[in-house]
């Protein structure tokens, strides 16, 4: 009974607290109350009942109905709905229909954009295995993987998906691909034994983890955690607990809607009370005036313009390999001031490349990067003959299991290789195998070795496999002369201790203790430069008995050939991208599972601000306050775990930073989801991480993040411009109606005319502002503070100033035409166009003058707003076209019978246009002065 209680207590611990990897194996068996024979069927059933199935529980997810209802939560939408209802109530069905159409467009468009049910947990569930091979009661049996329980003994082999977290009991050349969990692309060699308690997840060589894949070999393991308690289950729990936060832009748009609603109520109440108490206006007219003000105050086109502008920005970013999954996040990119990035594949090529070779007692440099076979061998900068390194390269290609194949070209690649067009559907050459072996293979091809020819000339007869314990691999070949030769590669110290001679300038000489020390020093020097080093040797006098069944006796009396040092080189565009980020006030932090030496070397090459490194174990020793004090000064975190990544993120956010976080493995999903901007890798990233992210990089390239930030800043600038433009127009309309009403002039512009301006003649140019080019200094500014919204003090001043100046310039037009002081009844329009509409001079003409004046003033307003961004009138051809369309539509309203009937307007004559032109010039002059005053009192942006 005591054992059962102890087991239950252990089973209740989280996977991170149960130190299964550091305990003696006997203690693990004892704690789990099991043995080599496995559990009995009865005990397995009891544990399944107690622990639950070995699966990751998933929520139902968000229903389409809930997503649709969410579209109606913003306050601005309800302002529009109320306005439409009021217009319909008073009989203005056209006005109501237009507003209702805007609401339908906004909500349907938003629904289509947001209709991605949260599938992170579901994707984790789909990754689950379907069966497992276990030992129950001393017999092997295949069972449903969901019925695996702690204490089961499982068997895995090449190609299997691991069914649960387990401690390795036996293994034979076992290697596991843990990329889905850790994000590291290189397979992990496994071994029996114990590791230190503080060993990071990626380095626990004695453990298997649920849903990772066995690359090669086989093993027997003892299940320690299942379902939600497994590492991948804990990640699922973290994803469920991650909060869905509105971006600052979403919050501000909602706040703006509430302010507009409150403002409408206040203004309408003031006018209604004033008219009913002081004036003698009929109640119906007061109501219509209030409706007119309500319609004029609501920027009906703003939600649609914002949504479409963000969508257009997202489309531009997709063309640059950044796929935006949440539209509002496009704006949030503009305020990012810290980018936390992976190393492998993001800052680097993720293609190991041989960079240095030791042969013939000399050191040679190798040019070229990645899997490109163009390159040469140099010594002290001068090219040398390939023969100087031929033997060590031949050994690297023969003692190698890389296969050459083809794949369909990735259409997301930035450029095609030599001789390749890059057309979709084409095939390209690729290498299949371990990244280290591929690097050796490519280095040999740079020297002119052909794989097929070499295999034909030196056919392989046998092999002694590489294992994590042996740390070496040996192959036996027949030479063109018919002799037997063995080639070995492996860890330099392992290879060196099996050598008693070395090859120097074609001669085999004794390997002295002094030479051993020199080679060991050279190996250490390479390692200090973050190179992964392999040693190479051969044996020319292989006995015939070793040809078909070679064993470790073959690996004695070897001749040392040399060393090859390799590194995953930085992408060539990354240093410039990081420099651009630093110039823009954005700090770049590398968070990697790799060792500190490699991380520092890569950091120096790509140009990180500083190369201070904190490792995962050091991080665990630091308190939250200690980390908070140093986090701004550290650019590299090495040997980190998923928990470390989340802790770093939360510390940076706690200090007020807006953080973009990259990730690829399942373990990165919680940090990516909790970041202000979560960035997933599209090529090597897992589905879970992609679904938890805001942006997916289609090329896994850091430079794309820089481009995305630049795109985000551009979009934010453009959002500010059209918000300023639309709200200043609304402010002018409210001020005009409010002033006209208080002055006893009645309604100076009708609700349908206001609606036309807001949705069409202002809305179309505002939409094209969304594609305005970026300001030249956009990446030279400091990041926008998170607390700084779209609407700043300068924009508020601009909205108020423009509204007042529009009223000052347009109200005289209404007054003069309403009272007929400038036009004594002569039908100028009829004289010019041959029409005789028969309209009397009066309110309708005065309202038409104001209506058209607003449309004409938009040209001045647009340029006044864009001027501070250094943009000329013709810098955006779409905007020029939009203004032309708006003016054309206005002319159709004025000079067609249908337009005149719908909008209650009179056609204008030349004298009317002259009045509007004079008013526009006055407005432009006032705006020019106003912009200069603003420049003296406010920041430029």
């Amino acid at each position: 009974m005591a054992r059962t209680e102890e087991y239950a207590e252990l089973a209740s611990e989280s996977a991170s607290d149960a130190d299964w990897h550091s305990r003696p194996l006997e203690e693990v068996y004892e704690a789990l109350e099991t043995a080599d024979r496995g559990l009995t069927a009865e005990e397995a059933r009891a544990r399944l009942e107690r622990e639950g199935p070995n699966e990751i529980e998933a929520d139902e997810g968000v229903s389409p109905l809930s997503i649709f209802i969410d579209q109606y939560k913003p306050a601005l939408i309800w302002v529009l709905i109320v306005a439409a209802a009021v217009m319909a109530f008073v009989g203005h069905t056209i006005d109501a229909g237009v507003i209702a159409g805007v609401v339908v467009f906004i909500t349907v468009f938003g629904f289509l954009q947001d209709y991605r049910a949260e599938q992170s947990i579901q994707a984790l569930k789909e990754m689950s295995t379907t069966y497992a091979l276990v030992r129950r009661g001393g017999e092997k049996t295949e069972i449903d993987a969901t019925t695996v329980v702690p204490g089961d003994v499982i068997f895995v082999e090449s190609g299997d998906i691991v069914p649960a977290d387990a401690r390795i009991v036996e293994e034979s050349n076992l290697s596991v691909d843990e990329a889905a969990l850790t994000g590291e692309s290189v397979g992990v060699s496994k071994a029996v034994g114990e590791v230190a308690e503080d060993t990071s997840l990626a380095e626990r060589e004695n453990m298997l983890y649920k849903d990772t894949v066995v690359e090669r070999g086989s093993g027997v393991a003892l299940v320690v955690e299942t379902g939600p308690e497994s590492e991948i289950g804990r990640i699922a729990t973290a994803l469920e607990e991650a909060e869905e936060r509105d971006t600052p832009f979403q919050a501000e748009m909602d706040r703006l809607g509430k302010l507009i609603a409150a403002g409408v109520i206040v203004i309408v109440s003031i006018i209604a009370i004033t008219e009913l108490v002081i004036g003698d206006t009929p109640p119906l007219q007061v109501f219509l005036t209030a409706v007119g003000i309500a319609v004029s105050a609501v920027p009906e086109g703003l939600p649609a313009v914002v949504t479409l502008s963000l969508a257009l920005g997202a489309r531009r970013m997709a063309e640059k390999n950044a796929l935006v999954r949440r539209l509002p996040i496009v704006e949030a990119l503009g305020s990012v001031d810290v980018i936390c990035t992976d190393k492998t594949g993001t800052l680097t090529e993720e293609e190991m490349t041989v960079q240095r070779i030791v042969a013939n007692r000399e050191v040679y440099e190798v040019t070229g990067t990645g899997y490109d076979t163009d390159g040469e061998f140099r010594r002290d900068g001068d090219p040398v003959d390939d023969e100087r390194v031929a033997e060590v390269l031949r050994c690297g290609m023969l003692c190698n299991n890389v296969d050459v194949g083809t794949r369909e070209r990735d259409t997301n690649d930035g450029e095609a290789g030599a001789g390749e067009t890059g057309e979709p559907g084409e095939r390209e050459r690729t290498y299949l195998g371990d990244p280290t072996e591929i690097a050796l293979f490519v280095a040999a091809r740079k020297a002119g070795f052909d794989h097929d020819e070499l295999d034909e000339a030196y056919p392989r007869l046998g092999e002694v496999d590489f294992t994590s314990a042996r740390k070496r691999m040996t192959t036996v070949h027949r030479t063109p002369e018919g002799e037997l030769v063995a080639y070995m590669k492996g860890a330099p110290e392992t290879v060196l201790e099996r050598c008693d001679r070395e090859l120097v300038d074609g001669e085999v000489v004794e390997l002295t203790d002094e030479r051993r020390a020199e080679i060991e020093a050279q190996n250490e020097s390479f390692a200090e430069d973050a190179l992964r080093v392999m040693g190479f040797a051969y044996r020319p006098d292989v006995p015939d008995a070793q040809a078909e069944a070679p064993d470790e006796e073959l690996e004695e009396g070897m001749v040392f050939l040399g060393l090859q040092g390799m590194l995953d080189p930085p992408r060539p565009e990354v240093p410039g991208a990081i420099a651009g980020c630093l110039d823009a006030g954005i700090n770049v932090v590398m968070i990697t599972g790799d060792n500190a030496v490699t991380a520092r070397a890569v950091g120096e090459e790509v140009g990180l601000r500083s190369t201070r490194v904190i490792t995962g174990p050091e991080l665990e020793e630091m308190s939250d306050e200690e980390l908070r004090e140093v986090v701004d000064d550290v650019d590299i975190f090495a040997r980190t775990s998923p928990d470390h990544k989340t802790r770093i993120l939360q510390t940076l956010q706690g200090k007020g930073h807006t953080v973009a976080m990259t990730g690829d493995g399942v373990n990165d999903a919680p940090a990516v989801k909790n970041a202000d901007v979560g960035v997933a890798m599209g090529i090597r990233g897992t589905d879970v991480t992609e679904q938890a992210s805001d942006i997916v990089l289609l090329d896994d390239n850091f430079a794309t993040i820089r481009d995305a930030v630049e795109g985000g800043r551009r979009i934010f600038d453009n959002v500010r411009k059209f918000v300023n433009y639309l709200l200043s127009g609304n402010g002018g309309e409210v001020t005009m109606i409010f002033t006209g009403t208080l002055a006893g002039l009645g309604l100076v512009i009708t609700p349908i005319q206001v609606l036309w301006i807001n949705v069409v003649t202002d809305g179309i140019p505002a939409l094209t502002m969304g594609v305005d080019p970026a300001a030249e200094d956009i990446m030279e500014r400091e990041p926008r503070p998170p607390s700084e919204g779209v609407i700043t003090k300068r924009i508020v001043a601009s909205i108020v100033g423009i509204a007042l100046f529009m009223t000052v310039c347009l109200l005289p037009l209404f007054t003069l035409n309403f009272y007929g002081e400038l036009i004594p009844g002569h039908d100028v329009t009829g004289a010019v166009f041959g029409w005789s509409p028969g309209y009397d001079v009066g309110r309708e003409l005065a309202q038409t003058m104001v209506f058209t004046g607003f449309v004409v003033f938009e040209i001045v307003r647009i340029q006044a707003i864009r001027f501070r961004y250094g943009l000329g009138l013709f810098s955006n051809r779409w905007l020029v076209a939009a203004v032309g369309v708006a003016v054309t539509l206005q002319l159709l309203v004025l000079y067609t019978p249908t337009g005149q009937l719908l909008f209650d307007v009179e056609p204008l004559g030349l004298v009317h246009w002259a009045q509007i032109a004079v008013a526009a010039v006055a407005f432009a002059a006032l705006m020019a002065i106003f912009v200069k005053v603003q420049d003296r009192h406010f920041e430029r942006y």
Side-chain angles (χ1 to χ4, degrees), residues 354 356-359 362-364 366 377 389 392-393 563-564:
V354 174
R356 292 184 213 165
I357 294 175
V358 172
E362 294 177 338
V363 179
Y364 302 92
V366 186
F377 305 93
V389 291
V392 70
L393 293 174
L563 305 172
Q564 294 192 54

Side-chain angles (χ1 to χ4, degrees), residues 565-870:
M566 61 205 76
L567 181 72
D568 182 9
R571 291 175 178 263
E573 64 274 17
V574 164
I578 288 180
C581 287
L582 296 177
D583 289 342
I586 302 169
N587 190 29
V588 179
V589 179
M590 180 201 302
I591 305 178
T592 178
D594 216 333
N595 64 70
V597 174
T598 300
R600 180 181 287 109
V602 173
E604 290 175 350
E605 286 201 54
V606 299
L608 292 183
R609 183 188 58 183
S610 72
T611 52
R612 179 180 177 184
V613 180
I614 290 181
T615 64
E618 292 172 345
L619 190 61
E620 290 176 355
E621 296 295 323
M622 301 174 70
S623 66
D624 290 342
E625 187 57 38
E626 289 172 333
L627 178 59
R628 182 180 175 86
E629 289 177 4
V630 302
V631 71
D632 284 333
D633 300 320
V634 179
D635 287 343
I636 301 173
F637 292 89
R639 288 299 188 210
T640 56
S641 69
D643 291 340
H644 297 151
K645 205 167 192 178
T646 301
R647 186 181 175 200
I648 294 165
L649 167 70
Q650 291 172 343
T651 303
L652 288 166
Q653 289 175 325
K655 296 196 71 174
H657 293 291
T658 301
V659 185
M661 174 71 76
T662 71
D664 47 21
V666 173
N667 62 329
D668 293 328
V672 167
K673 190 164 186 177
N674 281 291
D676 298 287
V677 179
V679 182
M681 303 296 115
I683 296 176
R684 70 181 193 281
T686 59
D687 288 344
V688 177
T689 309
E690 289 181 9
Q691 290 159 8
S693 68
D694 303 305
I695 294 174
V696 178
L697 301 187
L698 301 179
D699 58 359
D700 291 11
N701 193 337
F702 179 84
T704 303
I705 304 177
R706 186 272 318 272
D707 293 341
V709 170
E710 181 177 354
R713 290 189 175 190
R714 173 187 175 185
I715 289 168
F716 185 79
D717 277 358
N718 292 343
V719 167
R720 266 190 173 163
K721 288 178 219 167
F722 64 64
V723 166
N724 190 352
Y725 174 71
L726 289 174
L727 293 186
S728 62
N730 286 103
E733 293 158 3
V734 170
T735 307
M736 275 290 296
I737 295 174
F738 187 77
T739 304
T741 302
L742 292 183
L745 298 175
L747 208 58
V748 297
I749 187 171
T750 66
I752 187 67
Q753 292 170 350
V754 170
L755 198 59
W756 173 261
I757 293 171
N758 291 352
V759 176
V760 181
T761 60
D762 271 2
I764 295 175
L767 180 60
T768 59
M769 279 188 184
V771 295
D772 254 357
E776 290 185 1
D777 63 348
I778 197 166
M779 288 300 282
E780 297 173 9
R781 312 176 201 160
E782 290 294 311
R784 186 180 83 254
S787 58
E788 180 182 304
V790 173
I791 300 177
T792 60
K793 291 180 179 178
R794 174 163 184 155
I795 290 181
V796 170
S798 178
I799 291 170
V800 173
I802 290 173
L804 292 175
F805 295 146
M806 290 175 76
T807 302
V808 167
C809 295
L810 289 176
L811 197 59
L813 288 182
F814 179 89
T815 304
L816 294 175
N817 285 278
F818 180 61
Y819 291 110
E821 292 180 9
L822 294 180
I823 308 177
H826 180 63
D827 185 4
V828 179
T829 304
V832 174
F833 292 100
W835 296 349
S836 297
Y839 294 139
D840 294 327
V841 174
R843 179 175 300 278
E844 208 165 86
L845 175 60
Q847 289 175 338
T848 304
M849 292 290 287
V850 172
F851 177 35
T852 306
F854 271 115
V855 175
V856 173
F857 280 21
E858 75 182 19
I859 301 173
V860 179
R861 280 195 295 134
I862 286 171
Q863 197 50 35
I865 291 168
R866 296 171 75 241
F867 176 77
R868 62 190 172 109
Y869 295 91

Side-chain angles (χ1 to χ4, degrees), residues 227-415:
E229 296 301 320
S230 66
E231 285 292 335
I232 209 164
R234 292 174 60 237
I235 293 168
T237 301
L239 281 175
E240 287 180 334
E241 295 172 352
E243 296 181 3
E244 288 286 354
R245 301 190 304 270
D246 283 346
T247 67
F249 184 65
Q250 287 175 304
E252 184 167 6
M253 287 295 99
D254 195 49
R255 186 167 61 249
L256 177 62
K258 293 174 182 177
L259 286 174
I260 290 173
V264 167
I265 293 172
V266 170
I267 294 173
V268 167
S269 299
I270 291 173
I271 291 180
I273 293 171
T274 302
E275 287 291 333
L276 292 174
V277 174
I278 300 175
D280 56 356
T281 307
L284 180 60
Q285 184 61 42
V286 172
F287 181 73
L288 290 175
T289 301
V291 169
I293 289 180
V295 172
S296 66
V298 177
E300 289 86 358
L302 181 58
V305 170
V306 168
T307 302
L308 286 174
S309 294
L310 293 178
L312 288 171
R315 182 175 179 179
R316 286 197 304 271
M317 291 169 65
E319 292 172 354
K320 294 186 176 181
N321 291 321
L323 181 63
V324 177
R325 299 185 67 250
R326 294 177 58 216
L327 283 183
I329 213 68
V330 173
E331 172 274 332
L333 274 168
S335 59
V336 166
D337 61 350
V338 177
I339 298 174
C340 294
T341 177
D342 291 335
K343 174 184 70 68
T344 305
T346 307
L347 298 179
T348 65
E349 296 275 12
E350 200 181 11
E351 294 180 349
M352 295 295 291
T353 305
V354 174
Q355 296 193 329
R356 292 184 213 165
I357 294 175
V358 172
N360 298 308
R361 297 183 177 179
E362 294 177 338
V363 179
Y364 302 92
E365 297 84 34
V366 186
T367 65
T369 60
Y371 297 163
D372 189 347
T373 56
D374 290 334
E376 60 182 6
F377 305 93
R378 297 176 179 175
R379 184 168 185 271
D380 297 329
D382 298 323
V384 297
D385 194 294
D386 296 345
E387 288 298 318
R388 299 295 297 168
V389 291
E391 290 305 320
V392 70
L393 293 174
R394 179 185 285 109
C395 179
M397 179 170 271
L398 287 172
C399 188
N400 197 313
N401 289 325
V402 168
D403 287 328
V404 181
T406 62
R407 67 177 180 182
E408 186 169 333
R409 171 169 295 283
D410 182 357
T411 55
N412 291 326
D413 288 346
E415 55 186 50

